[in-house]
Amino acid sequence: MIEKGKVYLVGAGPGDPELLTRKAERLIKEADVILYDALVGEGIKELFPQGVKLVDVGKRADDHTFPQDEINRMLVETALKYKNVVRLKGGDPYVFGRGGEEAEALRKAGIEVEAVPGITSAIAVPEHAGIPVTHRGCASAVTLITGHEDPTKGESALNFKALAQMRGTIVILMGVSRLKDNVEALLAGGRPRDTPVAVIERGTTEKERITAGTLGNIVGLAELRGVRPPAIIVIGEVVRLRSILK
Ligand code: SAH
């Protein structure tokens, strides 16, 4: 009987290979097979050992190459064939990465799984751009949300009114395609138009680009500059600190 493998759900961090954890680096080096996402940085791919089996799961918000069910199935099948399976995901595997779903599917199939934390883009990307997500006297809370839901639909899981009225920083992931809807929902909920906003594309990489404005003008600015995913959207007074910290 073949011995079942173990799957490591590994966070690859926001892009810069130096922001990989030591554990992630070791697991990558020891892997028999690596299944990685589109968000895994090019510099990190250079660390993949020669001869390791690679599977590009390449799933993006705009182009669902593999449905999640299929990825789950693929992970189970791979673990039945290989001993050390690394499922490498951008940022942290349990922050909007569907890592929890993958772990669940593996557990259900009786396969050993371990989540290895990574540095999430939600915090590291603003930080690298000179924006602390919390700051004394300025933001005592930070809320991470997905920008992928339709805020105009009644069944949206997010209460934008409550979000708009809670003082503190809002960080939106997967928010480029619905930027306008999200901004409008926050304005309708009562966030002032002059609230500072920054959109950071490909943070911590050489291709990083920051578009800064306010809730009132960010949609136009993002269109003008052709903002593309992956990007982090930061909303709140902390964005002003960029002028001092960067
Ligand atoms: N698990 C990941 C998030 C996956 S959801 C994490 O913890 O970082 C995918 C979203 O992450 C993208 O749509 C984008 O909003 C964000 N993202 C990931 N890496 C990024 C980067 N280098 N720059 C900007 N945004 C990034």
Side-chain angles (χ1 to χ4, degrees):
M1 199 184 116
I2 313 162
E3 198 191 334
K4 271 190 216 163
K6 175 168 175 178
V7 178
Y8 296 90
L9 288 171
V10 181
D16 177 353
E18 291 204 290
L19 293 177
L20 203 62
T21 65
R22 289 174 64 182
K23 186 161 184 176
E25 191 171 8
R26 174 176 65 77
L27 291 169
I28 287 170
K29 289 204 172 121
E30 291 172 0
D32 300 312
V33 47
I34 302 173
L35 299 98
Y36 63 96
D37 277 353
L39 270 179
V40 170
E42 287 305 318
I44 289 166
K45 288 185 202 157
E46 285 169 17
L47 301 174
F48 291 171
Q50 288 225 318
V52 69
K53 184 177 162 54
L54 295 176
V55 183
D56 180 357
V57 176
K59 141 185 98 88
R60 282 170 176 271
D62 50 341
D63 172 24
H64 289 270
T65 321
F66 288 106
Q68 188 63 41
D69 283 0
E70 202 164 313
I71 296 175
N72 295 352
R73 216 165 28 242
M74 233 150 65
L75 283 169
V76 171
E77 279 166 18
T78 309
L80 295 173
K81 280 195 235 151
Y82 296 89
K83 198 157 171 285
N84 288 314
V85 181
V86 167
R87 169 69 174 116
L88 195 60
K89 302 172 84 70
D92 181 275
Y94 282 1
V95 178
F96 294 122
R98 306 191 75 166
E101 290 169 51
E102 294 179 8
E104 218 178 351
L106 287 158
R107 280 273 158 86
K108 273 195 191 141
I111 286 157
E112 206 185 338
V113 52
E114 181 181 333
V116 179
I119 297 181
T120 181
S121 63
I123 292 169
V125 165
E127 178 165 355
H128 189 259
I131 304 167
V133 291
T134 69
H135 193 72
R136 227 169 108 87
C138 172
S140 305
V142 55
T143 310
L144 312 184
I145 68 168
T146 167
H148 218 194
E149 295 202 20
D150 185 350
T152 58
K153 278 202 183 138
E155 70 264 30
S156 167
L158 292 167
N159 179 342
F160 274 87
K161 189 153 191 229
L163 268 174
Q165 288 176 3
M166 188 174 133
R167 297 186 55 209
T169 309
I170 300 171
V171 176
I172 309 182
L173 291 90
M174 301 176 280
V176 173
S177 60
R178 287 195 187 277
L179 178 65
K180 188 163 181 274
D181 296 336
N182 284 290
V183 164
E184 280 172 1
L186 289 171
L187 288 171
R191 271 271 165 142
R193 291 184 75 78
D194 64 356
T195 307
V197 182
V199 181
I200 308 149
E201 298 166 81
R202 302 192 171 274
T204 83
T205 73
E206 285 162 8
K207 294 183 182 148
E208 177 172 297
R209 184 171 71 149
I210 304 166
T211 302
T214 63
L215 272 185
N217 68 13
I218 196 68
V219 173
L221 285 174
E223 256 169 39
L224 201 68
R225 284 164 61 93
V227 167
R228 293 264 165 281
I232 290 283
I233 300 155
V234 197
I235 300 167
E237 295 305 315
V238 288
V239 171
R240 292 191 207 280
L241 291 161
R242 213 182 121 227
S243 57
I244 305 165
L245 301 180
K246 188 75 179 177

